Amino acid sequence: MATNLSTLSPPPAHAVLDVHGNAAEDENQVPPFNISPKTLAEMVNPKNLESLNREGVVQLTAALQSDLSNGISGNEDDLLKRTQHFGSNKYKRLPTKNFLFFVLEALKNMTSIVLFVCALISLGFGIYEHGLKHGWFDGVTNIVAVLFVVVVSATSRFGFSKRLQQLSYERADFKVLVVRCGRQCEVPASEVVVGDLVCLEVGDQLPANGLLLKGSLKVEEFDVTGESITVEVTVGGKPFLLSGSKVTDGYGSMLVTSVGMNTDWGSTMRAMNREPEPHTPLQVQFHSLASQIGKVGLVVAMIVFLVLFFNSGETKLFDMFKTIVIFINSAVAVVELAIPEGLPLAVTLTLSHFVQKMKQDKVMTRKLSACERMGEVAVICTNKTGTLTVSEMKVAEFWLGKESILDDDDGSVKGKALELLNEGAILNTSSFVRGLISEPEFCSSPTEKQIIAWAVSKKCTRISEIKRNCEVICVEAFDSEKKRSGVLIRKRKEKEIHTHWKGAPELILAMCSHFYDRNGEVKFMTDEDRKQLEDIITGMAKRGLRCISFAHKRVIEDSGQVCSNLEENELILLGFLGLDNQCREGVGEAVKLCEAAGVKVIMVTGDHVHTAIAVATQCGVLNPQEDQYDRVVVDGAKFRSYSERERMEKISGIKVIARSSPDDKRLLVKSMKQRHSPMALVGHGALDASALHEADVGIAKGIHGSEVAKESSDMIILDDSFLSVVNIVRRGRSVYNNIGKFIQFQLTVNVAAFVLNFIAAVSFGQVPLSAIQLLWVNVIVDTLGAVALAREPPSDDLMLSRPPVNQCELLMVGTLMWTNLAAEVLYQVTALLTLLFKGTSVFGLTENVTHSTLSSFVKFSIWLT
Ligand SMILES: Nc1ncnc2c1ncn2[C@@H]1O[C@H](COP(=O)(O)OP(=O)(O)OP(=O)(O)O)[C@@H](O)[C@H]1O
Ligand SMILES: [Ca+2]
């Protein structure tokens, strides 16, 4: 999109209008704002142009005690005053569920209720039979035991819900670039106040409602139904910007007019908060497994009850009733133990532990189910710059036309070529300077940062001077799709207008008809020249460099009217920069580890094919001995042109996609889905958002990722490193591993206790493990066991020579596990039954036999953990 800045009447730098004549006399007396939050809110949403025109942007800025170029003063008093008057950019959240909620939840459980009622009845019997003094004991112990169980289970669930809450707090806050007191600084979105100037570029998310002051943008808004619509926002047209929208093109700055609950986004967020976190697939499966087992348990419990009842031979009504209560108690306990509620809980705990651990490893989890899916991932698709390689680049080569220029012979370059190149480098960028003028710090993509730093290092360049002399009329922002950026500038001193382009070298070269030579002369580009220039580009790429090409053209002013579009033909080539980008330390090993673990790594990069091959070889993604490049490396354009069938055929071989556009990532995700290979995708740009969203696990980069990409992702790697991705895979596998172990443990205990009680009841007419005892075992198994297993750290052999986890396999749990389980149960039941039936004769046990049975059983269970 070409953005025309010339048509906008530039607002005065300092608005001195005192609209309300309300000057502060006393320094300490905070002058109030004479405009209400309500008026402001209603001006922007619904987009009320009339009311805005009545007020006027300049006057409005002044009324908000802000400045069109310097922003608000931003000191503590100022910020406080603003939040007091206009509110803060925070959203009221639903009160968190308190502990009592979880206690009630646990009490609502059918088993708890039955046991509680049984305990009450047994208290009644006790007192009736033995009098208050001696009869209360049994009943009260039972009641206390039930309550204790309830409290323990409520505590663990309460803790988990708090952790999840914390997670969503962190998620909602992102960094925003604002101008305060003339300086650009990053603040969390929640600290943006009314009156702030916010700088916006492609990929940003709007933190509040406001008005566009400079530049022009395309934003993606959400209408009431949640559909996204693209809206053009211009200063002269409709300058309204709504909180929560995403910037898809252009750049500019906005004045914040409403924050927090005064924006629509506020209500959206509130609605979002209300939705409970949906269960992950594993949790859902285990819930249904638990309830199915519960049903089986119920049937068996009925049988146990009937057997017990008919064996008891009670005839007196009172005794019969009493026995029934005891039996119901036992039967319920059997069911309780049979139900593996521990399974869903174990998954929940394992996942929450995962989230915590990942946070320590600089990974933020936005979606719980992603933790599970990471264990299944068979393909990791990653970009190159900053993930496989370090994020800093270095200018390694500089070519002026066909001549390579070494650092120390700058002086030998004649003419204006170098000056023009520097101009292009400094003005043709969306980056901004942060910090003090004396120690500038550039904030932008690694590429732009390096280009500017290189230009600044040239003796003849002074940023401030160039910026003062040149006015930017029109811009075309860089994105991965277009792979180039351009500006139209007016030089005030020389009264000249120039177009500057920079971008991927083949693209720029194709737009050029002339080039500069070392003597500063402009020469026509013959076919032979063109061929030589192409060879230079290929040569740089083969040395592993990212190549950026620069071109310019002087535009003839046609009756004083400058066209607002950037010219794309007959440009003069200025030169090439080659940026060196080293691999990250340890990436080679990490890629190897993935290979050993059966996870394929695909590198998708916007760079030249040869650059991609060179870097991929360095990082170990390509193996120069084995790989035939024509099979494993594919150009983005070619990949896009494949028919669906062709793509499916070739995709298993592809390891590198070069000169890719964001669309390729989406195609890749789609094809992998069709092949049922779970994939994780690492992305950063705003245009990667849909691919990130569609991938099984979308991973956004924390440092160089755009807000939109982060918003669409499942996880964010805060250090941008590929090593973190591998780390998540390892943890994801450990989730399955721990859960697998837990299933085995829980089922063994359940089945053993179940069988034991059943056999004893049928043949003995009595259950060895009483209801309360079983309840204890249940707590230990379900809760403590889950906690213990969830914390098991991942080991390296989870990665080595092991294929990715397959979810179906886990649940059918392999034959090995069933044999293990059967053997374990058989062993336990035999041992315990021997103890129970023959305890007195064989081991000479005289004590309460059931007591030792219980303790042996508990020991078995704990030992299993
Ligand atoms: N800021 C920029 N201005 C102009 N051209 C650029 C800029 N950044 C990159 N390029 C050119 O565009 C090409 C693709 O860059 P792009 O940023 O799209 O890659 P990418 O998809 O992010 O790849 P990677 O995985 O390596 O990060 C580069 O090879 C370079 O020639
Ligand atoms: Ca249970």
Side-chain angles (χ1 to χ4, degrees):
M1 179 188 68
T3 309
N4 197 337
L5 300 180
S6 67
T7 56
L8 317 170
S9 53
H14 295 272
V16 282
L17 280 157
D18 185 7
V19 261
H20 305 288
N22 206 333
E25 274 147 38
D26 184 355
E27 278 290 328
N28 294 329
Q29 180 82 47
V30 193
F33 299 91
N34 253 355
I35 188 156
S36 75
K38 190 157 170 275
T39 321
L40 284 169
E42 282 167 3
M43 186 185 301
V44 174
N45 190 19
K47 302 172 177 174
N48 194 338
L49 208 52
E50 207 179 296
S51 132
L52 174 68
N53 287 342
R54 217 179 311 129
E55 201 77 33
V57 175
V58 175
Q59 285 88 335
L60 196 64
T61 314
L64 294 176
Q65 296 169 19
S66 183
D67 181 285
L68 286 167
S69 52
N70 290 331
I72 59 172
S73 79
N75 59 32
E76 247 167 64
D77 287 345
D78 183 44
L79 294 179
L80 186 70
K81 173 177 78 177
R82 286 171 194 279
T83 45
Q84 274 171 356
H85 191 82
F86 298 109
S88 63
N89 202 22
K90 294 192 175 122
Y91 310 105
K92 283 204 199 88
R93 286 162 200 276
L94 282 189
T96 43
K97 292 177 190 142
N98 57 14
F99 183 63
L100 201 63
F101 172 87
F102 288 93
V103 171
L104 289 178
E105 189 97 308
L107 270 176
K108 265 190 233 150
N109 176 327
M110 191 60 194
T111 345
S112 308
I113 295 174
V114 173
L115 286 184
F116 197 74
V117 172
C118 286
L120 279 181
I121 296 175
S122 91
L123 180 67
F125 281 131
I127 294 172
Y128 178 81
E129 261 186 309
H130 306 289
L132 189 60
K133 207 162 169 212
H134 302 286
W136 62 271
F137 186 75
D138 266 3
V140 171
T141 347
N142 287 5
I143 293 175
V144 170
V146 174
L147 289 181
F148 187 76
V149 169
V150 164
V151 169
V152 168
S153 103
T155 310
S156 69
R157 278 158 216 260
F158 177 59
F160 177 65
S161 123
K162 268 184 109 166
R163 243 175 282 161
L164 271 189
Q165 187 78 27
Q166 189 65 35
L167 192 71
S168 72
Y169 268 111
E170 282 167 18
R171 191 185 307 163
D173 224 357
F174 52 91
K175 289 275 173 11
V176 178
L177 189 70
V178 295
V179 182
R180 285 185 183 170
C181 201
R183 294 246 206 106
Q184 268 164 328
C185 52
E186 263 179 351
V187 297
S190 59
E191 286 171 23
V192 168
V193 292
V194 170
D196 255 329
L197 291 192
V198 178
C199 306
L200 297 168
E201 60 171 349
V202 179
D204 281 344
Q205 185 143 17
L206 303 190
N209 283 3
L211 298 167
L212 190 71
L213 292 181
K214 280 182 204 155
S216 85
L217 302 172
K218 265 190 196 155
V219 299
E220 207 177 276
E221 271 177 16
F222 294 93
D223 63 13
V224 243
T225 58
E227 288 282 309
S228 73
I229 35 170
T230 304
V231 183
E232 278 207 40
V233 184
T234 52
V235 178
K238 287 195 167 177
F240 306 104
L241 290 163
L242 299 184
S243 171
S245 320
K246 297 163 181 175
V247 180
T248 56
D249 206 347
Y251 49 86
S253 62
M254 89 163 181
L255 173 75
V256 174
T257 57
S258 301
V259 293
M261 297 311 281
N262 289 328
T263 68
D264 244 10
W265 184 239
S267 25
T268 321
M269 287 290 289
R270 214 166 30 163
M272 261 163 59
N273 274 349
R274 201 166 295 143
E275 276 170 32
E277 169 104 2
H279 289 292
T280 70
L282 266 186
Q283 282 173 316
V284 172
Q285 272 169 335
F286 284 142
H287 268 298
S288 77
L289 185 71
S291 76
Q292 277 166 8
I293 295 182
K295 278 177 202 149
V296 177
L298 204 61
V299 173
V300 178
M302 292 282 280
I303 300 174
V304 169
F305 174 75
L306 291 177
V307 168
L308 287 176
F309 183 69
F310 286 113
N311 276 355
S312 70
E314 295 289 354
T315 45
K316 270 201 282 173
L317 193 67
F318 175 75
D319 284 343
M320 201 148 96
F321 186 59
K322 199 173 124 196
T323 328
I324 287 177
V325 172
I326 294 173
F327 290 167
I328 288 183
N329 220 337
S330 310
V332 166
V334 169
V335 180
E336 171 68 38
L337 196 61
I339 301 174
E341 308 106 317
L343 286 185
L345 184 66
V347 178
T348 314
L349 287 173
T350 308
L351 293 180
S352 88
H353 186 64
F354 177 106
V355 170
Q356 241 182 349
K357 280 283 164 198
M358 287 320 305
K359 214 171 113 194
Q360 286 167 12
D361 290 348
K362 297 219 156 40
V363 175
M364 201 169 117
T365 314
R366 300 186 66 247
K367 224 163 143 196
L368 267 188
S369 55
C371 314
E372 289 168 14
R373 300 248 45 194
M374 257 340 249
E376 301 169 37
V377 156
V379 179
I380 299 175
C381 164
T382 171
N383 70 330
K384 172 179 72 67
T385 313
T387 315
L388 289 168
T389 64
V390 291
S391 60
E392 297 86 36
M393 300 196 190
K394 216 171 73 227
V395 172
E397 289 182 25
F398 164 42
W399 295 71
L400 190 82
K402 289 195 288 187
E403 310 262 355
S404 170
I405 310 283
L406 296 176
D407 254 356
D408 41 0
D409 56 34
D410 270 3
S412 65
V413 180
K414 308 243 163 36
K416 280 172 62 178
L418 202 57
E419 195 191 315
L420 280 165
L421 194 88
N422 287 337
E423 245 168 50
I426 284 169
L427 297 170
N428 185 2
T429 175
S430 61
S431 80
F432 55 86
V433 183
R434 182 160 71 173
L436 303 167
I437 305 295
S438 54
E439 298 164 58
E441 184 192 335
F442 310 104
C443 295
S444 190
S445 72
T447 313
E448 300 238 322
K449 230 195 261 187
Q450 196 50 47
I451 294 174
I452 298 182
W454 173 81
V456 169
S457 75
K458 300 275 135 201
K459 291 157 213 108
C460 60
T461 312
R462 238 168 290 136
I463 295 192
S464 49
E465 206 170 286
I466 292 186
K467 287 210 162 164
R468 215 174 310 126
N469 188 33
C470 300
E471 176 201 349
V472 175
I473 306 171
C474 181
V475 296
E476 195 174 309
F478 173 83
D479 72 39
S480 287
E481 181 103 50
K482 295 181 283 205
K483 295 201 185 340
R484 61 175 197 188
S485 70
V487 280
L488 192 65
I489 54 168
R490 177 182 286 122
K491 295 207 210 181
R492 297 203 173 94
K493 225 168 31 206
E494 292 90 341
K495 300 216 163 38
E496 284 175 5
I497 292 181
H498 286 265
T499 305
H500 275 284
W501 283 104
K502 77 175 195 308
E506 329 76 274
L507 273 180
I508 301 293
L509 189 60
M511 290 153 57
C512 294
S513 59
H514 291 75
F515 69 99
Y516 276 96
D517 72 358
R518 193 187 194 94
N519 298 322
E521 273 165 39
V522 177
K523 284 197 167 165
F524 180 73
M525 203 184 287
T526 61
D527 283 350
E528 199 188 327
D529 290 327
R530 198 174 287 274
K531 175 87 190 22
Q532 282 170 356
L533 287 164
E534 275 164 7
D535 287 346
I536 290 173
I537 296 169
T538 317
M540 282 168 100
K542 281 191 172 158
R543 291 188 286 280
L545 303 178
R546 162 170 280 193
C547 185
I548 309 276
S549 179
F550 293 82
H552 94 116
K553 183 178 187 178
R554 189 170 161 198
V555 184
I556 310 298
E557 248 174 302
D558 173 19
S559 66
Q561 188 66 47
V562 186
C563 64
S564 59
N565 284 329
L566 297 180
E567 277 202 56
E568 304 183 4
N569 294 315
E570 314 213 312
L571 302 172
I572 310 171
L573 183 76
L574 285 163
F576 308 109
L577 279 189
L579 302 169
D580 188 23
N581 196 198
Q582 291 296 316
C583 282
R584 266 179 197 270
E585 208 174 314
V587 152
E589 288 82 54
V591 172
K592 268 209 205 86
L593 192 62
C594 286
E595 228 162 68
V599 178
K600 188 178 156 192
V601 180
I602 302 180
M603 177 173 119
V604 181
T605 173
D607 266 329
H608 195 281
V609 179
H610 289 291
T611 314
I613 292 179
V615 178
T617 312
Q618 245 181 55
C619 310
V621 174
L622 287 181
N623 188 337
Q625 269 104 49
E626 289 169 22
D627 290 331
Q628 291 162 295
Y629 292 149
D630 56 334
R631 293 222 355 252
V632 296
V633 182
V634 58
D635 189 79
K638 197 160 154 205
F639 184 71
R640 255 163 282 155
S641 71
Y642 285 153
S643 71
E644 206 147 296
R645 239 190 66 227
E646 246 177 318
R647 196 172 302 125
M648 293 301 283
E649 270 165 26
K650 306 222 163 148
I651 201 155
S652 59
I654 293 174
K655 289 186 176 177
V656 173
I657 302 180
R659 274 285 182 256
S660 70
S661 80
D663 249 353
D664 300 335
K665 294 192 185 150
R666 213 170 19 231
L667 280 176
L668 195 63
V669 170
K670 202 173 128 210
S671 316
M672 286 297 170
K673 275 224 165 119
Q674 279 171 3
R675 293 189 57 207
H676 302 290
S677 329
M679 82 167 322
L681 176 86
V682 184
H684 58 124
L687 299 175
D688 291 344
S690 70
L692 281 172
H693 184 76
E694 278 162 39
D696 295 298
V697 183
I699 303 175
K701 303 211 284 186
I703 304 171
H704 287 114
S706 68
E707 268 330 306
V708 173
K710 289 182 196 168
E711 189 60 27
S712 325
S713 67
D714 302 313
M715 289 186 169
I716 300 172
I717 39 173
L718 299 177
D719 58 357
D720 283 10
S721 166
F722 182 72
L723 305 190
S724 296
V725 180
V726 179
N727 215 350
I728 317 176
V729 175
R730 193 200 325 256
R731 279 243 170 239
R733 289 183 176 202
S734 87
V735 168
Y736 279 93
N737 194 46
N738 291 356
I739 291 172
K741 276 191 206 154
F742 185 76
I743 298 178
Q744 181 156 0
F745 160 69
Q746 163 119 52
L747 290 187
T748 311
V749 176
N750 283 359
V751 175
F754 201 66
V755 172
L756 180 70
N757 262 3
F758 183 69
I759 294 179
V762 173
S763 54
F764 219 47
Q766 191 196 346
V767 278
L769 304 176
S770 81
I772 295 298
Q773 286 168 338
L774 284 182
L775 209 56
W776 269 116
V777 175
N778 191 52
V779 175
I780 291 168
V781 173
D782 284 354
T783 314
L784 304 183
V787 172
L789 275 172
R791 298 186 158 263
E792 189 144 317
S795 61
D796 245 345
D797 54 80
L798 285 175
M799 294 293 279
L800 293 175
S801 54
R802 256 214 227 177
V805 184
N806 182 331
Q807 223 190 72
C808 312
E809 239 170 58
L810 180 86
L811 288 189
M812 292 302 105
V813 210
T815 35
L816 178 71
M817 193 188 127
W818 286 117
T819 1
N820 264 349
L821 190 102
E824 189 73 48
V825 168
L826 199 67
Y827 166 65
Q828 271 201 31
V829 170
T830 325
L832 292 173
L833 279 178
T834 320
L835 202 63
L836 187 62
F837 287 112
K838 300 268 192 261
T840 335
S841 53
V842 178
F843 304 109
L845 289 176
T846 49
E847 292 270 319
N848 186 345
V849 184
T850 48
H851 184 78
S852 38
T853 316
L854 170 76
S855 59
S856 321
F857 183 71
V858 172
K859 273 180 213 144
F860 268 126
S861 320
I862 293 171
W863 170 74
L864 260 172
T865 354

